[in-house]
Amino acid sequence: FFIGAGAVHWARTLMSDVEIADERHPMAASPEVKAKVMADFAAGAAESGFGRRKLIRNTLFGALALVPLSGVMLLRDMGPLPERKLRTTLWAKGKLLINMNTHEPLRPEDVAVGSLTFAMPEGLSEHDHNFQVEIAKAALMIVRIQPEDIKDKRELEWSHEGIVAFSKICTHVGCPISLYEQQTHHVLCPCHQSTFDLSDGARVIFGPAGHALPQLRIGVNDKGFLEAHGDFDEPVGPAFWERG
Ligand code: FES
């Protein structure tokens, strides 16, 4: 109560009703002041003998020249440069799509309408020491959509009889996508609810993801197995660089 009463009293009686303007003075110092500062600086330098004491001066310059090295050491501590490792995955032309549950190569007839099938590239094994690193980039989800329901022309060209393959890694912060809505062909990321339309180039229709899911171009080899026609043509996962 007393704080409130004090505030009201301050506002009604103590605070001035008169507007007061304080004109801003020029920011730059006058030529006389500048000249005085320079003269004082020169006098101080002459008195200290800094110009004549070459050892002290050169040591100071040497120390300044070495300052950027500390930045180099800090950056080196962050590990080797990723180079192209973040832009490429294990997918390559002719690599078979391996079912992540059965570990068998996938045929078109294995991909049923209405379900999400997860695949990894041929040659990758769960026993490999780099499995987690590689699967985090190469994980694929495959669905079968009626070709006439596919709205995106490039998506249709990169599919095989309506079977489309997209990166399973959400482009927001990289969670694996796992929920599929058959009627709408929408997939939902469980982390922050980004939703992608798999019948329209996997574009984002809801949520914080900034980019569509990258599509993998697929086909069928002469033995009837689904195979990749190359790597993704853009980086998968979170967009820590802008892809335009
Ligand atoms: S990681 Fe998918 S929405 Fe955030």
Side-chain angles (χ1 to χ4, degrees):
F1 172 79
F2 286 116
I3 290 172
V8 170
H9 175 63
W10 176 75
R12 295 182 67 106
T13 58
L14 298 181
M15 201 165 71
S16 170
D17 290 337
V18 182
E19 271 190 27
I20 301 168
D22 186 9
E23 293 300 327
R24 181 177 289 177
H25 57 79
M27 297 291 282
S30 66
E32 297 79 42
V33 172
K34 284 185 191 165
K36 170 121 180 35
V37 169
M38 291 310 294
D40 288 350
F41 180 78
E47 271 173 31
S48 70
F50 181 75
R52 282 180 281 112
R53 291 181 185 152
K54 289 204 170 73
L55 181 62
I56 296 177
R57 190 189 61 193
N58 293 345
T59 309
L60 177 65
F61 289 153
L64 286 175
L66 290 175
V67 165
L69 265 187
S70 55
V72 173
M73 300 311 285
L74 277 176
L75 289 174
R76 273 184 62 86
D77 272 0
M78 295 173 78
L81 287 173
E83 294 171 355
R84 289 197 53 78
K85 280 191 217 131
L86 295 172
R87 290 183 170 270
T88 57
T89 72
L90 286 183
W91 290 109
K93 187 165 174 47
K95 282 227 171 175
L96 299 181
L97 276 59
I98 305 295
N99 188 320
M100 284 186 69
N101 290 328
T102 63
H103 297 158
E104 296 293 329
L106 279 162
R107 293 174 178 276
E109 52 271 29
D110 299 331
V111 183
V113 172
S115 66
L116 212 50
T117 306
F118 299 124
M120 61 184 181
E122 169 193 14
L124 183 63
S125 159
E126 284 162 13
H127 305 298
D128 293 344
H129 71 282
N130 59 347
F131 177 76
Q132 292 299 340
V133 173
E134 294 301 342
I135 200 66
K137 295 187 294 175
L140 208 61
M141 61 183 168
I142 304 161
V143 292
R144 184 188 282 276
I145 302 175
Q146 295 300 337
E148 57 274 20
D149 289 345
I150 298 179
K151 302 179 198 113
D152 185 87
K153 189 163 165 283
R154 192 190 82 160
E155 178 180 350
L156 188 60
E157 283 168 9
W158 285 23
S159 69
H160 174 76
E161 295 172 355
I163 299 174
V164 291
F166 285 97
S167 168
K168 179 176 158 58
I169 310 303
C170 181
T171 54
H172 179 218
V173 288
C175 285
I177 294 169
S178 53
L179 302 168
Y180 177 53
E181 219 280 311
Q182 180 190 349
Q183 305 299 326
T184 57
H185 308 302
H186 293 171
V187 281
L188 177 83
C189 175
C191 288
H192 313 99
Q193 284 71 53
S194 283
T195 309
F196 305 85
D197 185 352
L198 292 194
S199 66
D200 192 9
R203 70 184 174 86
V204 184
I205 55 169
F206 179 79
H211 299 280
L213 298 169
Q215 184 178 1
L216 189 76
R217 186 172 195 159
I218 57 166
V220 165
N221 68 9
D222 49 10
K223 295 194 180 104
F225 291 110
L226 288 169
E227 65 170 14
H229 279 187
D231 199 354
F232 291 102
D233 72 338
E234 58 186 321
V236 299
F240 60 86
W241 52 72
E242 269 305 313
R243 281 177 275 156

